[in-house]
Amino acid sequence: MKREVISDVELRAHFDRNSTREFVIPEGAIITPAARDFLREQNIELRGQKDSIGIKTNRSMTVDPIPQKEGKSRYVDHTTGRDLSEKPEHMTHLRGNRLISKRDPRIAFRGRLDSLMASMISAQVEVYEAGYGRISTDIGELLDLTRLILAAEVKDEPLTGITFQGMDSEKIRYDSQHPEEVFGIMHPIPCAKAGRTGATLNRLRTEVREVELAAMEAFCDSRGNLLRPDIIEALNRLSSCCYILMLRLASGFYKKSKYLKVPVEVSARHVHLTKEALEALFGEGFEMSHRKDLSQPGQFATNERVKLVSEKGEIDRVSVLGPVRDHCQVELSKTDAIALKLSLPVNLSGNYEGAKDILLVGPKGSYLAKESALIAMAHIHMTEADAKAFGVTNGEKVGVTLETDRAVTLENVIIRVDSPEKASLAMHIDFDEANASGVTGNTKGIIRKR
């Protein structure tokens, strides 16, 4: 499961534009330690329905404000208890207004976790570009787990219920220690024969072990007692998860995606009608004709045509697609919008925020389609199996490089995942995008993770 990550850079930009002293974190989002530091320093209240590690809470997510003294923030040296009017450069937040040296083992531990997360993101890109979309997705789950560990330490909250793909702590440990029984192979010896992807996974495993050592330095007292056994156990299981990914690769569980490219289809201007609109335009009891099936299951082109009329323009002979829907939708290009002198939003199909009213004219009458005209955002239809192969999730934004003479890459293309009964692998763009990038009837696109 992927979560939105909110950084201090985004918060600084947000509060440059807004004077409010409160920030509402989106449900399920991750907020970085640097972002929390910024909120504390600015005395901005943080609220949300869930906290940054996805644990339900009945209280507001309020960051303890830093006390003020004569208009200046007052900090406390956590080690000595001494008041500080300013935050020294060599110190950083432990929690709230309490500062400690950046050399403190706990800060070093956070830094190692931060580096590990950066390595995981790089690994996702590496294995995805190697054709292992499923491994990229699995590393994404390990990244989420790593963020949970970081958040639990920063918030000084217990970390419980560590799971990975339905496996609890004991199952993770067992599978990693019994590869012959679980995967049908012996413990693999890391070597060049494992290839680049195998080397990437092994590198992640070793980096997790290094974070484990940093955790022992941070959370083991002089008598050898563990102060955060939950974090130590979670890191041990995280290392085991990396090893499980290595075992899966070595045993042949992971396959290179056969869908390295996605077919590109060009959508001309068209309309989707409600039953009410259909009968107003073509007569009571009228049934759509069926000219040909489209790539998406259940969708079809008809022989019916309508005229679009705005206050300052019109376009004739616009295709009607079936079947009927619950809401009229008129999908146009930017060029069409200019011809109709309409300012249209670029929306995902089904999102009518900002969509404009437009008059539809048919052979039997006219119909005012309210909040229906929009420019459709480029998107890719796929099944859940396709999504796993590509290593993407529903609603994710990706870049797509179109294999044309111009090699144009379209950004912010939306992934739309549905069942095989409703979706078939295809990217949909409009004629403006197709003409600008030189798309032809057999063009393919290569998905690029952002």
Side-chain angles (χ1 to χ4, degrees):
M1 180 180 64
K2 298 186 179 301
R3 297 189 178 99
E4 179 184 358
V5 178
I6 299 173
S7 70
D8 61 314
V9 175
E10 292 167 312
L11 290 181
R12 291 177 193 277
H14 174 81
F15 286 102
D16 278 345
R17 301 188 301 266
N18 298 276
S19 59
T20 179
R21 308 310 296 167
E22 178 181 282
F23 180 73
V24 180
I25 184 173
E27 185 173 332
I30 299 290
I31 184 164
T32 67
R36 290 181 180 276
D37 287 349
F38 170 78
L39 293 174
R40 291 189 188 98
E41 292 170 4
Q42 300 298 317
N43 289 320
I44 296 170
E45 193 174 27
L46 177 64
R47 294 185 179 275
Q49 294 179 342
K50 291 186 177 182
D51 65 20
S52 62
I53 61 172
I55 300 173
K56 292 182 179 178
T57 177
N58 292 323
R59 60 179 174 83
S60 67
M61 288 178 44
T62 304
V63 176
D64 294 333
I66 297 173
Q68 298 274 326
K69 187 174 184 180
E70 297 179 357
K72 291 187 177 181
S73 297
R74 182 173 64 83
Y75 302 93
V76 177
D77 186 320
H78 181 74
T79 304
T80 66
R82 182 168 58 93
D83 284 352
L84 300 170
S85 61
E86 296 183 353
K87 177 178 170 291
E89 291 295 331
H90 71 282
M91 303 186 80
T92 189
H93 293 275
L94 177 63
R95 288 175 194 93
N97 67 330
R98 307 192 72 82
L99 305 180
I100 54 173
S101 168
K102 292 179 179 178
R103 297 175 59 186
D104 189 278
R106 287 165 291 188
I107 302 306
F109 167 72
R110 294 177 186 178
R112 295 307 297 266
L113 269 182
D114 198 19
S115 296
L116 174 61
M117 290 188 287
S119 292
M120 286 180 168
I121 293 170
S122 295
Q124 281 187 284
V125 176
E126 290 175 25
V127 301
Y128 181 83
E129 292 184 346
Y132 288 105
R134 176 67 184 276
I135 300 180
S136 179
T137 300
D138 290 350
I139 294 174
E141 291 192 36
L142 298 185
L143 179 60
D144 283 342
L145 176 56
T146 307
R147 286 170 173 154
L148 293 179
I149 296 171
L150 176 60
E153 193 284 318
V154 170
K155 294 167 68 69
D156 195 26
E157 293 182 347
L159 184 64
T160 58
I162 294 299
T163 62
F164 175 65
Q165 297 184 345
M167 296 184 288
D168 61 16
S169 179
E170 289 307 310
K171 175 64 172 171
I172 292 170
R173 185 176 189 178
Y174 186 90
D175 282 12
S176 67
Q177 294 179 351
H178 299 84
E180 288 184 79
E181 175 186 340
V182 178
F183 302 100
I185 60 173
M186 301 287 288
H187 284 285
I189 299 174
C191 63
K193 291 182 179 179
R196 184 178 298 276
T197 299
T200 296
L201 295 177
N202 187 53
R203 186 184 74 237
L204 284 185
R205 181 189 64 82
T206 61
E207 290 187 27
V208 174
R209 297 302 295 272
E210 290 175 358
V211 176
E212 256 190 289
L213 297 178
M216 290 298 296
E217 287 290 325
F219 308 121
C220 187
D221 65 18
S222 58
R223 296 183 179 181
N225 299 314
L226 292 180
L227 306 178
R228 292 300 303 259
D230 54 340
I231 288 180
I232 302 297
E233 179 182 343
L235 288 168
N236 183 275
R237 297 303 182 269
L238 185 61
S239 173
S240 296
C241 287
C242 291
Y243 189 55
I244 287 173
L245 266 56
M246 293 175 61
L247 292 170
R248 288 177 176 178
L249 180 66
S251 66
F253 174 84
Y254 290 123
K255 305 294 184 183
K256 281 197 173 184
S257 172
K258 63 180 180 178
Y259 300 120
L260 293 178
K261 301 175 183 179
V262 57
V264 179
E265 298 179 352
V266 183
S267 294
R269 66 179 79 99
H270 61 271
V271 302
H272 298 277
L273 300 175
T274 62
K275 189 176 190 306
E276 178 186 21
L278 180 67
E279 293 189 341
L281 296 168
F282 296 96
E284 185 176 352
F286 185 84
E287 297 288 338
M288 290 180 176
S289 62
H290 190 294
R291 183 165 63 87
K292 68 173 183 179
D293 288 325
L294 302 177
S295 64
Q296 300 310 300
Q299 305 294 307
F300 58 90
T302 74
N303 294 308
E304 283 68 61
R305 299 290 184 270
V306 297
K307 179 188 289 187
L308 308 181
V309 181
S310 68
E311 290 185 2
K312 298 182 179 180
E314 61 180 52
I315 298 176
D316 202 3
R317 295 191 57 75
V318 178
S319 298
V320 175
L321 302 187
V324 294
R325 293 189 175 185
D326 294 331
H327 193 290
C328 286
Q329 181 166 299
V330 180
E331 297 185 33
L332 303 170
S333 68
K334 180 65 175 179
T335 299
D336 296 330
I338 292 172
L340 293 167
K341 294 180 173 56
L342 291 176
S343 177
L344 301 181
V346 180
N347 288 355
L348 194 60
S349 177
N351 175 11
Y352 303 107
E353 183 177 354
K356 297 298 190 293
D357 300 349
I358 193 163
L359 183 67
L360 311 179
V361 180
K364 299 293 186 179
S366 62
Y367 184 85
L368 180 61
K370 290 186 171 294
E371 298 180 341
S372 64
L374 54 83
I375 298 171
M377 184 179 292
H379 56 277
I380 301 174
H381 293 283
M382 61 175 63
T383 64
E384 292 182 0
D386 295 327
K388 286 183 178 180
F390 279 110
V392 295
T393 57
N394 186 46
E396 183 176 351
K397 292 181 179 180
V398 298
V400 180
T401 300
L402 304 175
E403 290 191 315
T404 67
D405 293 339
R406 295 186 174 185
V408 171
T409 297
L410 297 180
E411 297 291 348
N412 297 321
V413 179
I414 303 295
I415 300 296
R416 308 199 72 171
V417 180
D418 214 324
S419 65
E421 294 77 25
K422 296 182 179 179
S424 178
L425 185 62
M427 176 179 179
H428 286 173
I429 62 176
D430 66 27
F431 262 95
D432 283 356
E433 293 162 324
N435 290 334
S437 53
V439 168
T440 62
N442 59 356
T443 297
K444 300 290 193 296
I446 300 174
I447 295 179
R448 308 289 189 188
K449 299 279 280 187
R450 300 178 72 198

